[in-house]
Amino acid sequence: MTNRPITPAEAHLVAAIATAAAAKGEDVCRAVSSTFTQDQLAAGRQVLEDDLNQKPTQ
């Protein structure tokens, strides 16, 4: 596997899948996360952190 940039769409997809897996419990979360690369997981985490840190618009 070659290193390639993670696209924003891919990062959002990883974040959504990881969030859904986390809601199902630790075993599911571990199983799902093992299918992604560390780069993909890091990009997904960044998406979630960015969403949490966004200030609400008025």
Side-chain angles (χ1 to χ4, degrees), residues 1-56:
M1 181 183 270
T2 60
N3 282 343
R4 60 175 178 71
I6 307 299
T7 66
E10 184 178 9
H12 280 84
L13 184 59
V14 171
I17 292 169
T19 300
K24 296 291 184 181
E26 185 177 343
D27 290 339
V28 174
C29 191
R30 287 180 190 271
V32 168
S33 68
S34 70
T35 65
F36 295 113
T37 66
Q38 290 300 312
D39 288 345
Q40 289 170 320
L41 291 171
R45 180 179 178 173
Q46 188 63 51
V47 165
L48 294 173
E49 288 178 357
D50 290 350
D51 285 351
L52 286 173
N53 291 328
Q54 268 188 345
K55 294 183 180 174

